[in-house]
Amino acid sequence: MVKNESRGKGEVTSHSVFGAPCWVSLATRDLEGAEEFYQAVLGWKWRPNSLGDRFRVALADGVPVAGIAAVASMWQMAVAWTVYFAVDSADEAAARCRERGGTTAVGPLALPPGRAALLADRDGAVFGIWEGPLITDWEEWRAAAPTFIRLHTRDAFDAAIFYGEVLEWAAARPGRCEVHYDGDEVVLRSGGAVVARIHSGAVEAAPDPTIRPHWQIHFTVDDVTACVLAARAHGGSVLQWEEGAGEAVLADPDGARFTVTARQRER
């Protein structure tokens, strides 16, 4: 993470949108390969990150939308996309996670100007937490790229209780996220907008990682078919897609999975 760079706006911190998803980051082995792939598929541009040569920030129309870190081998992490949630205190949120059966993989540690940790819920789904200034204005970030995430988990209602307590979704103060139930899904809203869904049916021991509990990141795009073709042409793979469909699950050349969803598609 880096300092907030909203154009003409005051600093936005994790305290302003606590409990909501606020950033996504890719842990990879091949930084240059990831840059080339995501520029071709999603049209992103790149700039250095103050954390060092292993880190980059992705820009969509000049707005910072994601981070990439070539740390998968160094930190013995899985190659994967991770969603980060805003919290008031990374240390306290990590402690609440452990108290409720979750685990801590990395941190909390200082990543100036804030603090971060990589956690897993009690079903093994990995997520991150961030305390401090956001990279850019939250609404601007959501409009630019990853406006939607979905947790595939064993039991949506049990997961909602876990995350609600860890991320303070039920806090009795202004700005909290709102949890709603929509059939067999749990829907999370922040500022009136849907920012996440939790869906039951994942199998913890499934050999296919797409079936095991995990957070799935949806990047909204104008042309899903063009993204599919670009992914294939640049060494990626197509995991789920029907020709003409408004959504596709892709993997980059290093194996990190993500979803592209047509911008006009209702979720």
Side-chain angles (χ1 to χ4, degrees), residues 18-224:
F18 72 97
C22 65
W23 190 243
V24 292
S25 183
L26 171 68
T28 187
R29 290 182 289 257
D30 181 1
L31 187 64
E32 292 183 358
E35 287 181 323
E36 180 181 346
F37 176 82
Y38 288 100
Q39 181 166 342
V41 175
L42 298 177
W44 289 347
K45 305 299 182 184
W46 302 97
R47 73 160 189 233
N49 186 303
S50 59
L51 294 175
D53 293 339
R54 292 178 178 268
F55 300 84
R56 296 287 188 276
V57 173
L59 305 174
D61 296 326
V63 178
V65 292
I68 291 187
V71 297
S73 298
M74 180 176 66
W75 290 353
Q76 298 184 336
M77 296 170 57
V79 173
W81 279 99
T82 300
V83 59
Y84 283 78
F85 292 87
V87 296
D88 283 335
S89 168
D91 294 283
E92 292 177 6
R96 289 194 295 268
C97 176
R98 292 190 297 269
E99 289 166 358
R100 289 156 179 80
T103 57
T104 301
V106 179
L109 49 80
L111 290 176
R115 290 176 62 75
L118 196 62
L119 312 174
D121 66 26
R122 50 193 172 213
D123 288 325
V126 175
F127 65 103
I129 53 175
W130 172 256
E131 170 198 349
L134 305 186
I135 290 218
T136 189
D137 177 73
W138 185 73
E139 292 289 354
E140 195 172 33
W141 172 73
R142 287 191 64 250
T147 60
F148 186 69
I149 58 172
R150 185 191 301 271
L151 175 63
H152 295 264
T153 190
R154 175 185 53 82
D155 184 327
F157 303 104
D158 181 72
I161 293 172
F162 172 85
Y163 284 96
E165 293 176 343
V166 172
L167 301 175
E168 298 186 286
W169 289 348
R173 60 189 176 94
R176 68 181 176 88
C177 292
E178 299 176 356
V179 178
H180 302 273
Y181 298 94
D182 182 9
D184 61 349
E185 281 195 329
V186 176
V187 180
L188 182 70
R189 294 179 181 272
S190 182
V194 175
V195 293
R197 290 181 182 268
I198 302 177
H199 182 75
S200 298
V203 180
E204 292 177 75
D208 184 348
T210 63
I211 299 176
R212 293 198 295 267
H214 68 284
W215 281 99
Q216 185 174 26
I217 298 172
H218 293 243
F219 294 107
T220 52
V221 299
D222 292 322
D223 190 334
V224 171

